[in-house]
Amino acid sequence: MALKHLIFFTLLSILAISSFADTESSTTTDSGLVLNFYKDSCPQAEDIIREQVGLLYKRHKNTAFSWLRNIFHDCAVERCDASLLLDSTRRQLSEKETDRSFGLRNFRYLEEIKEAVERECPGVVSCADILVLSGRDGIVAVGGPYIPLKTGRRDGRKSRADILEQYLPDHNESMTVVLERFKSIGIDTPGVVALLGSHSVGRTHCVKLVHRLYPEVDPAPNPGHVEHMLHKCPDAIPDPKAVQYVRNDRGTPMKLDNNYYRNILDNKGLLLVDYQLAVDKRTKPYVKKMAKNQDYFFKQFARAITILTENNPLTGNEGEIRQQCNVANKHH
C-alpha cells in the first residue's frame, strides 16, 4: 500500500491555474450551483477540506480511491445530495449496506472532515459539498487533474437504497446499458470512457472477479494476467471479508493515469466492463485516443466529473445542512 511521497499541497495552486475544466469563478449553472459558494459564509471551507484530505491521505493512502468512488455512488443515483452517507434506520436501509455498494469504505474519515469544517463554520457547509470536494482533492492526490467544482448543494433526508439498481450500472452489464445510464444524466460516450479510467487506481476484490476465473477461465483476458488473477484469487468462493484483491493497474496502482487504457487494449482489464470498453466499436476509438494522450483523458475526465457532480442537486431552501453526515437532522 505504500506510495512514494506524493506532494500535492504545494502543487494544488499550480494545478488550479492549468485546470482542465472550462469554468469561470463567477458563473452559475442551471443546477443552481456556483463556484466559491461559501466565500462569504465560510471562506475557509475549501481550504479546510483540502487540508484534511491531505492529512488523511498521508495516513491512509486508499482514502483517495474511496472519495472518488463516493462521487459516482452518490451523484449517479438520482441526485448529488449525500444520501450515500446516511446510516440505516428502522425504516430505511442505507445505500452503504447494499450489494451494489460492496467495497465502499472510509466513511468515518468524511465525518472527520465534517467535524473540522463544523468547528470553523457550524451548520453552513453541506455533507454533499464535502463529499464532492473531498473527491476532487482525492483525484489530485493520486495525480489527476485539479477540477474547479461548483458548490451550494444541500443534503437529502432519505436513503435511495431501493432504487440504486435503476441508476448504477453494474460491472457485468452490457456496454449499451452502461452508456444509456450515463447518457440519462448528460454524460456522453467519451465522458463514460474517461470516468471508467478511475479503474486506473485502487483494487478489485476477488468477489467481483471469480466469475471470470471459475469454473472455467474467461478466454478474453491476457493469459499472463489470468495467471496473476488466479494467484491473487485462489478460491472460487472467496470470503467477502477477507483481504483478497487484485490491483486494478499493476504498473501504476496508486496513480490516476492513462495506463489503464493501454492495459485494457492489451486485454489486462479485470472487470467485464473493462474488456467491453476496449472492444465495443462505440468506445474503442476513445480508449485508443486516451491511451495515447493523457491530456485528452484528463480533459474528458474533468468534464464528466463536473457533469456528474452537478446532477440534479438540492439547492436554496431544499433539503438541509446535516449536523452529522451519517444522520438526517430530524433523527437527532
Side-chain angles (χ1 to χ4, degrees), residues 305-319:
I305 288 288
T306 300
I307 294 170
L308 185 58
T309 57
E310 294 181 10
N311 181 32
N312 192 29
L314 296 171
T315 57
N317 294 320
E318 299 174 308

Side-chain angles (χ1 to χ4, degrees), residues 33-245:
L33 304 177
V34 62
L35 283 176
N36 302 315
F37 178 82
Y38 299 105
K39 64 181 179 180
D40 297 321
S41 58
C42 188
Q44 298 302 314
E46 295 198 25
D47 289 337
I48 293 169
I49 293 168
R50 186 178 299 119
E51 179 183 25
Q52 290 295 311
V53 166
L55 292 172
L56 288 164
Y57 181 71
K58 286 181 180 180
R59 285 160 42 197
H60 313 282
K61 300 300 183 187
N62 62 9
T63 53
F65 316 142
S66 300
W67 291 324
L68 176 53
R69 284 192 70 190
N70 287 344
I71 290 179
F72 169 65
H73 280 264
D74 186 62
C75 296
V77 184
E78 197 169 56
R79 61 165 38 103
C80 211
D81 67 348
S83 63
L84 172 69
L85 305 181
L86 290 170
D87 289 342
S88 291
T89 66
R90 286 178 296 177
R91 296 182 178 181
Q92 286 190 324
L93 177 69
S94 169
E95 293 174 36
K96 295 181 288 189
E97 296 181 25
T98 63
D99 290 341
R100 193 56 64 87
S101 298
F102 177 79
L104 288 178
R105 53 185 176 169
N106 294 322
F107 295 111
R108 66 187 182 278
Y109 298 132
L110 278 175
E111 290 294 342
E112 290 187 26
I113 299 173
K114 172 68 169 175
E115 289 168 5
V117 174
E118 286 291 303
R119 286 193 292 270
E120 178 74 18
C121 310
V124 175
V125 182
S126 69
C127 296
D129 279 340
I130 290 172
L131 181 151
V132 164
L133 294 177
S134 63
R136 176 191 70 183
D137 295 335
I139 289 167
V140 173
V142 292
Y146 177 84
I147 310 169
L149 295 178
K150 295 179 173 127
T151 44
R153 299 165 191 80
R154 288 173 65 86
D155 300 322
R157 297 188 177 97
K158 65 178 184 178
S159 164
R160 294 194 177 79
D162 57 333
I163 60 171
L164 277 182
E165 301 290 336
Q166 300 174 34
Y167 291 90
L168 290 180
D170 185 72
H171 60 90
N172 286 323
E173 299 204 80
S174 69
M175 187 52 59
T176 295
V177 170
V178 173
L179 292 174
E180 287 178 349
R181 294 281 174 87
F182 282 107
K183 183 179 179 181
S184 70
I185 56 177
I187 299 176
D188 58 15
T189 300
V192 174
V193 175
L195 280 181
L196 284 170
S198 299
H199 291 176
S200 168
V201 293
R203 59 192 187 181
T204 299
H205 199 284
C206 291
V207 166
K208 299 290 186 180
L209 302 177
V210 288
H211 66 284
R212 301 194 76 188
L213 302 173
Y214 305 98
E216 296 180 353
V217 172
D218 183 338
N222 183 296
H225 203 54
V226 168
E227 184 178 349
H228 176 69
M229 292 166 68
L230 286 167
H231 174 70
K232 292 291 187 178
C233 302
D235 303 315
I237 306 177
D239 180 356
K241 297 181 181 180
V243 184
Q244 291 186 310
Y245 60 85

Side-chain angles (χ1 to χ4, degrees), residues 199-202 247-253 255 257 259-260 263:
H199 291 176
S200 168
V201 293
R247 291 285 184 194
N248 290 345
D249 180 350
R250 294 168 64 187
T252 55
K255 187 176 181 181
D257 59 19
N259 199 45
Y260 163 76
N263 283 339

